[in-house]
């Protein structure tokens, strides 16, 4: 009976060891960073991914306070401590996007989520899951910088510029376009059709160009002159340059008010006669 009990115990220990090895291998080979800390912030476990990404060796981290190692700046530490306190009080999990500093000083952006570890029905520690998000954060930052740069160019060019939808709606207009037409952005963007500010004699011709341009952008002229009616009802001679935005049904138009130029030319012609 004793021998049988010992064999059963060894078998149970073997199964337990196999289970432990399986989960340890899973945590060690996981493509995300895994860290376990106690309720005081002491680091109990980090997996291989954290070692590889951070440059910190396991023996430099285990037993140390996770908030004092140098992973986080003061603002991030405060945020994490507040979130930990909230989680212990029953707040739902939340994904945070935070900066983490490697041993060599390099900054990574990671998404981190916390899970409270329970023991005998009481919180015993916290598991932190880190996902490297640096490339996406940098890509978004570059996109924002690029948008700011092009928006600055769009706003400050000397000609009026507007983006026109397929249904002829003016979706975006710059300051000079507002100045030429007399309509505010609030009155114009996503509300007014460009056909409403074109003189009657030019509307049908330009609507035809607009339609054909979306079939083959090379067919209609890319620049020409037309008459524009501003908010006050004044007729202006306007020189237009227009092209399609690649991959869309939208077009971008650039206009220059040449009314005074045409008046000067007419005065010169009469003077010459």
């Amino acid at each position: 009976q004793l021998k049988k009990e010992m064999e059963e115990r060894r078998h149970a220990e073997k199964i337990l060891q196999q289970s432990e090895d399986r989960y340890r291998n899973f945590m060690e080979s996981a493509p995300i960073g895994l860290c376990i800390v106690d309720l005081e912030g002491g680091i109990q476990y980090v997996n291989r991914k954290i070692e590889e990404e951070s440059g910190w060796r396991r023996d430099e981290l285990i037993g140390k306070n996770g908030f004092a190692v140098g992973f986080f700046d003061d603002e991030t530490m405060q945020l994490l401590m507040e979130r930990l306190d909230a989680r212990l009080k029953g707040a739902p999990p939340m994904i945070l996007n935070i900066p983490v500093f490697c041993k060599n000083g390099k900054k990574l952006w990671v998404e981190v989520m916390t899970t409270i570890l329970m023991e005998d029905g009481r919180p015993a520690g916290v598991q932190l899951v880190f996902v490297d998000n640096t490339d996406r954060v940098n890509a978004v930052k570059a996109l924002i910088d690029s948008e700011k740069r092009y928006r600055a160019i769009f706003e400050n060019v000397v000609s009026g510029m507007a983006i026109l939808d397929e249904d002829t709606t003016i979706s975006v207009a710059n300051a000079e376009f507002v100045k030429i037409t007399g309509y505010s952005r609030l009155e114009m963007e996503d509300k007014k059709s460009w056909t409403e500010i074109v003189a009657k004699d030019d509307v049908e011709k330009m609507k035809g160009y607009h339609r054909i341009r979306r079939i083959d952008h090379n067919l209609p002229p890319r620049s020409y002159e037309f008459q524009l009616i501003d908010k006050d009802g004044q007729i202006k001679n306007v020189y237009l340059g227009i092209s399609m935005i690649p991959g869309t049904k939208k077009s971008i138009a650039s206009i220059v008010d040449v009314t005074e130029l045409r008046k000067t030319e007419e005065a010169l012609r009469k003077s010459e006669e």
Side-chain angles (χ1 to χ4, degrees), residues 70-73 75-77 79-80 96-102 106-111 130:
F71 275 138
F72 314 113
D73 57 27
E75 184 179 349
T76 304
M77 271 199 294
L79 175 63
L80 289 174
L96 300 176
N97 193 36
I98 60 171
V100 170
F101 294 90
C102 302
K106 179 183 177 182
K107 183 168 75 171
L108 300 177
W109 284 92
V110 299
E111 289 182 345
F130 296 92

Side-chain angles (χ1 to χ4, degrees), residues 90-263:
M94 178 187 297
I95 296 176
L96 300 176
N97 193 36
I98 60 171
V100 170
F101 294 90
C102 302
K103 187 177 181 180
N104 63 5
K106 179 183 177 182
K107 183 168 75 171
L108 300 177
W109 284 92
V110 299
E111 289 182 345
V112 61
M113 187 172 178
T114 59
T115 301
I116 304 300
L117 302 176
M118 306 297 289
E119 189 174 305
D120 298 327
R122 300 177 63 184
V126 181
Q127 176 181 275
L128 302 171
V129 176
F130 296 92
V131 179
D132 187 356
N133 196 30
T134 307
D135 289 344
R136 192 172 77 182
V137 170
N138 289 339
V140 170
K141 185 177 182 301
L143 187 62
I144 291 172
D145 290 342
S146 177
E147 181 184 359
K148 287 180 179 178
R149 184 167 59 253
Y150 284 111
R151 182 175 291 276
I153 295 171
F154 182 80
E155 281 298 324
N156 291 287
V157 291
V158 294
S159 60
M161 296 191 73
I163 295 175
L164 313 175
D165 289 340
E166 185 176 12
D167 65 356
T168 75
T169 301
I170 301 169
S171 59
V172 182
N174 74 349
E176 185 64 19
F177 198 91
V178 167
K179 180 181 176 181
I180 293 172
T181 63
Y183 292 97
S184 69
R185 283 191 174 95
L186 189 62
E187 294 174 305
M188 192 160 35
E189 292 182 342
D190 293 323
K191 295 177 182 176
K192 189 171 287 295
S193 166
W194 60 258
T195 59
E196 298 175 53
I197 60 173
V198 174
K200 184 178 179 180
D201 292 343
D202 290 324
V203 168
E204 290 306 316
K205 175 185 68 177
M206 291 177 64
K207 284 171 68 176
Y209 290 162
H210 182 86
R211 184 176 62 256
I212 295 169
R213 189 174 290 111
R214 279 145 184 80
I215 299 171
D216 185 343
H217 67 92
N218 292 312
L219 289 178
R222 294 187 60 180
S223 58
Y224 53 90
E225 196 170 315
F226 73 97
Q227 288 192 316
L228 178 147
I229 304 175
D230 69 12
K231 186 178 180 179
D232 295 329
Q234 295 181 6
I235 295 178
K236 296 180 178 180
N237 292 89
V238 173
Y239 187 78
L240 168 74
I242 188 165
S243 62
M244 297 297 296
I245 298 176
T248 74
K249 292 292 186 179
K250 297 175 180 287
S251 52
I252 184 163
S254 173
I255 61 174
V256 178
D257 185 355
V258 294
T259 306
E260 293 304 317
L261 176 63
R262 294 293 173 259
K263 288 180 179 178

